[in-house]
Amino acid sequence: MRLEYTERQKKFREEIRGWLAANVPKQPLPSFDTEEGFEAHRRWEARLFEGRWSAVTWPKQYGGHGCDLVEWLIFEEEYWRANAPLRVNQNGVFLLAPTLMEYGTDEQKARFLPRMASGQDIWAQGWSEPGAGSDMAAIRSKAVRDGDHYVINGQKTWSTRAVWADWLFGMFRTDPESSRHHGLTFILLPLDLPGITIRPIKQLNGLPGFAEIFFDDVRVPVGNRLGDEGAGWSVAMATAGFERGLMLRSPARFQQTARSLVDLYKRHRDVADTDPGIREAVLKSWMDAEAYTLATYRTASRLGKGAKIGAEASTNKIFWSELDLLMHETALRILGPLGELMPDAPSAGDAAHWLDGFLFAQAGPIYAGTNEIQRNIIAERMLGLPRS
Amino acid sequence: MDFTFEDQQLAFRDAIHKFLMVEAAPEMLREIWETTRTGRSAELRAKLADQGLTALSVPEEFGGIGLGDLDWVLVQQELGYFAIPDSLTDSAYLAVFLLNHLPADIALKREWLPRIASGNARVAVGHPVNPLVADAELADLLLLWHEDEIHALTRDQLQCEFNASIDLSRRLYRLNWTPTAATRICPARQGGALWRELLDRAALAASAQLLGLAQRMLDLGVDHAAQRKQFGKPVGSFQAVKHHFADVAVKIEFAEPVIHRAAYAVAEDDPRQSAYVSHAKLAAGEAARLAARKSIQAHGAMGYTWEADLQMYMKRAWALDSAWGDAKFHKARIDHSILADGAALGPGTTF
């Protein structure tokens, strides 16, 4: 055990800190759930790419930086510390890309990865359907083979950022006779193909952060299939593993929030201490953000020594989503009657970002597999309890 | 940056686990705790010594193995898992720490360190954070705090009054003794720092034991729920029960690296070690309390009986949660650390 950075890691931190200081926009970008904000975030991705910082863990040949997981954690720490923009291409860079590296052909990697790294292609996910949410194996959207194409019909929903995204990755039923986990295939497709209709869905904050996607005889070349036909479930599980496991929510994000919460508490201590529960919640926030960081470094060390992510991925997702709720609820308790004000309300001051984060925190226990599903996975796969 | 233990450390931990599984079975420990005044067994102590547990951090020149806090922390998790009473940790980890760091008092070291290493001496440690002293009556030597001085007394130099604990493994005593120049082995000037370092190690050891206890209670609950049938199915197949256990598993998963970081900080004299140890104690206490709560629930009425072994581990967890600094004490230390002006918080400040 050695809980210290090497000289090389310290130098890496300085390098990224310097680049961010010179390049992070001084004014926050508009939300990427608006058309204007989406394009502004896409330009930021291009800027990151120019500095070779958009996909740091990827091999250099695809536009990455060749970082190991500890360097990735350092990068994330500096990124959040600098208040740099949210990553509009996170679904592509953090979720699809590791799966592409594992299951993609060389042709697919060369075709998709560099354009993803540069922000030319922004990716959305196509998992959920009206009848397949937590029960993803209930997917019904069909992809029927016709020569060297698949013909897709059906409907996807809750697709984050699909209103303006360029590409979609998702799962479709290629074997009409199949059920559950069998006969599913992982397919990549551009969202401007004929037969695709995208209908925005307003989220809790009033912005169209979700979309519903309708497929009406959409023809997709067979070369856009990732992995084997009918092997979609195992390919998708690899994505789900990365998502819940490590890449989706780096600890730096929560450390930054915990630090802001401590600052908020200190600024409003006279009022905050009239509710004796607040101080405890602030301390707990710091402790849990720290615990999540330590656990992630431990996982990174284990992976670096050849271990695989197991069911601990499910414990991660529960832990950070509950922490995120705790921190934002605590901030709103401190802010009291100002907490409800929308960002453009004249009296909102700097409080409004807490409300925004509070709304987003409500989604944490739901997306990427609800926390109830995660608890089932922990109980059955980690603790060995019998299936229901 | 490497957050993993050495293979050798893990192998030693595994060997201790196997040993205690056989030699410290619950029925045997209960027999000792329930039927003897001292609650301790010379026979078990000799077996622990054979495994090297009493010699772990005694320097080689005094007949020990000379290992450190990081080796201990893994062992402490096992001691918690098997509910090994306080006397081993107090003698072999805490007293050895104090004796090792005494300013040049070679005679005392030469007398006691080899005896501790060989399993032939029990040492009790009295720190003001605990109102009572564990295993004082059976102790061959007592190392006691008095205004930051360290005093060394033998059993005949003091009176002790037994106080029964809900944890049947515990033997707690209120001491009546008089500090004198003859009993003083270290002045306050050096003693203050040593007592602070001792408290961090003691709280760290309690944290690791609490984590081991949490794991044991989780395992007992899972075993029970997998076997007990109601409505024609194992109760562990019901989601409501599964989710109880999953919540415990999450607490354990995120307490463990906190405890290991605290052990590293203590071993490396990190200036932030006290806050890290307090964090460890709070996280481990929370995991153990939740494990107790969920495991008794999953046990149903059996969990409320004297017969079921769960009670041994629950009671020990409840006791250790407030030993070597209760939650109030450790929260105050965290508060002091993170709310201080200029405290380094946020991304990039963890290591």
Side-chain angles (χ1 to χ4, degrees):
Chain A
M1 186 173 294
R2 184 164 184 80
L3 304 185
E4 282 163 42
Y5 297 105
T6 61
E7 287 309 311
R8 202 174 136 218
Q9 287 164 341
K10 288 179 193 165
K11 250 179 87 179
F12 177 74
R13 184 186 293 282
E14 274 170 35
E15 191 190 343
I16 174 66
R17 187 175 288 191
W19 189 88
L20 289 167
N23 287 279
V24 168
K26 300 289 173 265
Q27 291 299 314
L29 304 182
S31 164
F32 56 25
D33 291 330
T34 64
E35 190 165 12
E36 175 205 5
F38 192 90
E39 290 309 317
H41 280 79
R42 187 201 292 276
R43 287 192 294 277
W44 167 248
E45 291 292 317
R47 185 82 170 265
L48 278 170
F49 176 69
E50 284 164 26
R52 286 295 180 271
W53 297 116
S54 67
V56 292
T57 56
W58 295 12
K60 290 189 173 159
Q61 67 184 109
Y62 300 122
H65 212 93
C67 289
D68 64 18
L69 287 173
V70 170
E71 288 166 334
W72 171 71
L73 286 165
I74 294 170
F75 170 82
E76 288 283 312
E77 285 166 359
E78 292 306 315
Y79 193 86
W80 285 95
R81 189 179 166 277
N83 282 315
L86 293 173
R87 302 296 304 274
V88 69
N89 214 7
Q90 54 182 275
N91 286 339
V93 173
F94 300 135
L95 306 184
L96 174 60
T99 313
L100 254 174
M101 308 250 191
E102 191 171 339
Y103 292 94
T105 62
D106 288 345
E107 185 273 334
Q108 286 176 325
K109 292 180 204 172
R111 182 175 155 210
F112 293 117
L113 290 172
R115 289 181 58 86
M116 189 190 297
S118 63
Q120 285 163 285
D121 295 336
I122 308 287
W123 288 78
Q125 302 188 79
W127 304 128
S128 295
E129 297 183 1
S134 287
D135 183 11
M136 198 161 81
I139 282 174
R140 285 169 55 191
S141 291
K142 285 191 186 67
V144 177
R145 186 77 176 256
D146 176 23
D148 52 3
H149 281 73
Y150 290 109
V151 181
I152 298 184
N153 281 283
Q155 181 186 352
K156 294 286 179 185
T157 192
W158 315 135
S159 187
T160 303
R161 286 182 288 285
V163 178
W164 295 291
D166 309 289
W167 279 75
L168 183 91
F169 61 97
M171 215 151 41
F172 299 88
R173 197 162 289 284
T174 39
D175 177 358
E177 304 298 308
S178 67
S179 68
R180 307 298 300 161
H181 314 73
H182 308 284
L184 296 167
T185 299
F186 199 112
I187 294 174
L188 316 173
L189 57 97
L191 282 166
D192 59 357
L193 287 176
I196 290 181
T197 308
I198 295 172
R199 195 178 72 82
I201 300 174
K202 273 191 192 182
Q203 293 182 328
L204 218 49
N205 62 4
L207 297 175
F210 284 145
E212 225 173 349
I213 306 169
F214 300 90
F215 300 86
D216 183 12
D217 285 336
V218 176
R219 295 181 67 83
V220 179
V222 169
N224 284 21
R225 185 183 74 212
L226 186 57
D228 293 336
E229 188 170 293
W233 186 264
S234 52
V235 180
M237 283 303 107
T239 305
F242 283 113
E243 176 171 13
R244 290 193 295 259
L246 209 56
M247 290 292 194
L248 180 66
R249 292 290 173 251
S250 83
R253 177 192 190 111
F254 305 105
Q255 288 187 292
Q256 182 71 357
T257 307
R259 169 199 175 148
S260 301
L261 180 63
V262 169
D263 289 344
L264 182 76
Y265 170 72
K266 283 163 90 170
R267 280 202 308 278
H268 297 275
R269 194 154 187 181
D270 48 342
V271 189
D273 281 345
T274 58
D275 175 348
I278 287 179
R279 191 188 76 141
E280 167 133 34
V282 171
L283 299 183
K284 175 90 177 132
S285 298
W286 176 80
M287 286 191 280
D288 283 359
E290 193 77 354
Y292 184 52
T293 307
L294 293 167
T296 307
Y297 270 92
R298 179 168 81 160
T299 303
S301 289
R302 287 175 174 175
L303 289 171
K305 291 191 168 181
K308 293 252 178 269
I309 296 187
E312 76 237 46
S314 291
T315 66
N316 277 357
K317 206 252 148 173
I318 292 173
F319 195 81
W320 62 248
S321 59
E322 292 186 349
L323 167 60
D324 206 34
L325 277 171
L326 169 72
M327 292 194 290
H328 288 92
E329 283 167 359
T330 306
L332 291 192
R333 281 166 75 187
I334 294 171
L335 292 166
L338 290 180
E340 68 174 286
L341 295 181
M342 293 294 285
D344 54 357
S347 299
D350 62 354
H353 75 279
W354 286 109
L355 177 64
D356 208 41
F358 172 79
L359 294 181
F360 187 57
Q362 306 302 311
I366 301 169
Y367 64 82
T370 65
N371 285 12
E372 288 69 29
I373 295 288
Q374 309 301 343
R375 287 184 170 94
N376 289 348
I377 293 171
I378 292 167
E380 289 165 16
R381 298 190 203 154
M382 198 168 152
L383 305 179
L385 284 162
R387 295 179 68 91
S388 306
Chain B
M1 184 64 66
D2 176 12
F3 211 133
T4 61
F5 285 89
E6 308 295 326
D7 289 345
Q8 204 183 335
Q9 291 169 322
L10 296 171
F12 185 65
R13 188 263 319 265
D14 293 346
I16 294 301
H17 184 89
K18 286 188 189 121
F19 164 77
L20 292 173
M21 178 104 72
V22 176
E23 298 294 343
E27 55 276 16
M28 192 201 81
L29 292 178
R30 290 174 65 147
E31 171 82 16
I32 300 169
W33 299 348
E34 291 178 32
T35 61
T36 68
R37 177 184 170 86
T38 62
R40 304 292 169 257
S41 147
E43 193 190 343
L44 179 57
R45 174 56 63 102
K47 285 179 181 169
L48 295 170
D50 281 346
Q51 294 297 311
L53 285 173
T54 51
L56 211 56
S57 49
V58 174
E60 288 177 42
E61 55 177 311
F62 295 112
I65 307 174
L67 296 178
D69 303 295
L70 271 175
D71 304 286
W72 263 115
V73 75
L74 290 174
V75 171
Q76 291 292 348
Q77 285 176 242
E78 298 306 319
L79 299 183
Y81 192 86
F82 292 99
I84 301 301
D86 307 313
S87 174
L88 177 64
T89 296
D90 292 2
S91 303
Y93 185 41
L94 303 180
V96 166
F97 169 78
L98 282 182
L99 290 168
N100 267 339
H101 289 83
L102 282 179
D105 193 340
I106 295 297
L108 207 70
K109 289 183 195 178
R110 196 172 293 142
E111 179 180 0
W112 288 101
L113 288 175
R115 287 184 62 186
I116 295 171
S118 62
N120 291 317
R122 291 181 191 269
V123 186
V125 178
H127 184 284
V129 79
N130 297 322
L132 303 169
V133 177
D135 292 285
E137 189 175 356
L138 191 61
D140 301 291
L141 180 74
L142 296 99
L143 298 174
L144 304 175
W145 179 93
H146 173 72
E147 305 295 338
D148 274 356
E149 298 167 350
I150 304 174
H151 290 256
L153 286 79
T154 49
R155 180 63 191 81
D156 54 343
Q157 291 174 287
L158 51 80
Q159 294 168 318
C160 54
E161 176 192 38
F162 177 67
N163 283 256
S165 162
I166 185 65
D167 172 5
L168 285 173
S169 82
R170 298 263 273 175
R171 292 294 183 276
L172 299 176
Y173 299 87
R174 170 126 7 227
L175 301 192
N176 186 2
W177 64 290
T178 309
T180 66
T183 59
R184 194 180 72 179
I185 58 169
C186 180
R189 200 160 21 87
Q190 285 135 325
L194 283 182
W195 284 116
R196 278 194 298 280
E197 289 279 332
L198 175 106
L199 175 62
D200 280 344
R201 280 170 177 78
L204 171 65
S207 309
Q209 289 185 37
L210 281 162
L211 190 71
L213 284 159
Q215 186 66 50
R216 184 59 171 270
M217 291 185 278
L218 175 61
D219 290 353
L220 286 171
V222 166
D223 283 352
H224 181 84
Q227 285 165 23
R228 169 71 176 163
K229 285 189 175 157
Q230 286 289 272
F231 307 101
K233 292 177 190 171
V235 296
S237 67
F238 298 116
Q239 283 200 356
V241 177
K242 282 180 179 168
H243 290 193
H244 281 323
F245 292 131
D247 287 339
V248 176
V250 170
K251 289 282 184 231
I252 292 174
E253 188 74 19
F254 288 90
E256 193 175 39
V258 173
I259 290 159
H260 293 166
R261 188 268 294 266
Y264 184 85
V266 165
E268 298 287 317
D269 271 330
D270 188 309
R272 294 176 289 186
Q273 75 175 45
S274 291
Y276 291 167
V277 166
S278 287
H279 184 188
K281 185 82 189 326
L282 291 167
E286 193 183 328
R289 286 195 314 275
L290 191 74
R293 179 71 204 92
K294 299 301 189 184
S295 197
I296 190 174
Q297 188 70 23
H299 272 76
M302 273 310 291
Y304 197 67
T305 65
W306 191 266
E307 181 190 340
D309 288 336
L310 175 65
Q311 62 128 329
M312 300 167 57
Y313 307 98
M314 282 199 303
K315 290 170 177 173
R316 183 141 181 80
W318 293 330
L320 284 185
D321 188 37
S322 291
W324 296 107
D326 58 13
K328 300 188 286 294
F329 176 88
H330 289 292
K331 278 179 192 169
R333 297 210 311 182
I334 298 271
D335 180 313
H336 182 72
S337 165
I338 72 162
L339 299 180
D341 287 338
L345 304 174
T349 61
T350 302
F351 300 107

